[in-house]
Amino acid sequence: MSQGNTRVTPQVVNAHACPVREVLDRVAGKWSVLIIVAAAHGPIRFTELERGVEGISRRMLTLTLRNLERDGLLTRTVHPTVPPKVEYELTPVAHELHASLLGLTDWAERHRVTIAESRAAYDARHQPE
Amino acid sequence: MSQGNTRVTPQVVNAHACPVREVLDRVAGKWSVLIIVAAAHGPIRFTELERGVEGISRRMLTLTLRNLERDGLLTRTVHPTVPPKVEYELTPVAHELHASLLGLTDWAERHRVTIAESRAAYDARHQPE
DNA sequence: CAGCATCCAGAGCGATACTG
DNA sequence: CAGTATCGCTCTGGATGCTG
């Protein structure tokens, strides 16, 4: 860790050691969060998710659900009926994650406008036309 | 909220309307967060960032810095000296973001092990060999 | 020192079609 | 209903080399 250095600057951030990145890698996928939000208030079926998460394809829904299940963020319950019925439900861990995301949501909503303005200003500054 | 429906299920989540996704789109890039973390405790120079954020290429550092600057998350100060010196500093908005990320960091650290185990178990279950 | 331009490989994701 | 399989594009990001 510490080398006998008196300077402050180092502050090395390792992409692999950084826990924030770990979460983000898990959550950054285009759909993961949306699915978590959609499933936040109780068990939900495949087709309901398909409708609930606007714009998601069947393929991506399946893939994302598998990943979330793999990470232990949701459980998959197959009801052996005809027609088949599968329900997905957030695990406690995922609920905690959902709660933590609220901080970000909040940030986003507070600064959404500011950021949009900043972008517009920047673009105007750099592309006169 | 309620449509005359007695069922609960609807819960439509729109990818474009969702504020969480907005943040994530901004932050999910492989490097944004790491740069924010690296710059969190004061102004920092280009080369210092290059060393501080392990594994980043010069190209990605430049690109990510531009995006962060564009969003108003950091300021770029050029000191007209020889050799040139450029300092990047987080804006208050970015500091707030950094604070919000703590919730996620925390979550990640609490469940890192559990998640890894869950993955291993899942993989074992689905790929006997 | 700080950065831009070019080239290139791979991941991510959408569209579509088929199945238990 | 709840998936799986295949194709192909787009976009990200790494490597390298050139400049003020």
Side-chain angles (χ1 to χ4, degrees), chain B residues 48-79:
Chain B
E48 291 173 339
L49 281 169
E50 201 174 358
R51 293 169 197 279
V53 181
E54 308 242 296
I56 195 169
S57 66
R58 199 160 280 179
R59 173 188 141 89
M60 285 318 295
L61 180 53
T62 304
L63 286 179
T64 311
L65 286 173
R66 286 297 163 278
N67 281 327
L68 292 174
E69 186 192 356
R70 189 166 99 107
D71 288 344
L73 295 185
L74 52 76
T75 58
R76 180 170 177 272
T77 313
V78 181
H79 301 272

Side-chain angles (χ1 to χ4, degrees), chain A residues 36 39-43 68-69 71-76 88-101, chain B residues 107-108 110-111 114-115 118:
Chain A
I36 291 178
H41 55 52
L68 292 174
E69 187 192 355
D71 288 345
L73 295 185
L74 52 76
T75 59
R76 179 171 177 270
Y88 294 91
E89 184 170 17
L90 293 194
T91 63
V93 176
H95 277 294
E96 282 189 45
L97 173 58
H98 184 231
S100 299
L101 288 172
Chain B
W107 179 87
R110 280 202 313 272
H111 301 293
T114 315
I115 290 176
S118 173

Side-chain angles (χ1 to χ4, degrees), chain A residues 82-122:
Chain A
V82 180
K85 175 177 176 178
V86 179
E87 283 190 320
Y88 294 91
E89 184 170 17
L90 293 194
T91 63
V93 176
H95 277 294
E96 282 189 45
L97 173 58
H98 184 231
S100 299
L101 288 172
L102 261 46
L104 285 194
T105 315
D106 201 47
W107 180 87
E109 268 163 3
R110 281 203 311 273
H111 302 293
R112 167 195 301 234
V113 177
T114 315
I115 289 176
E117 287 172 356
S118 174
R119 282 201 183 207
Y122 182 96

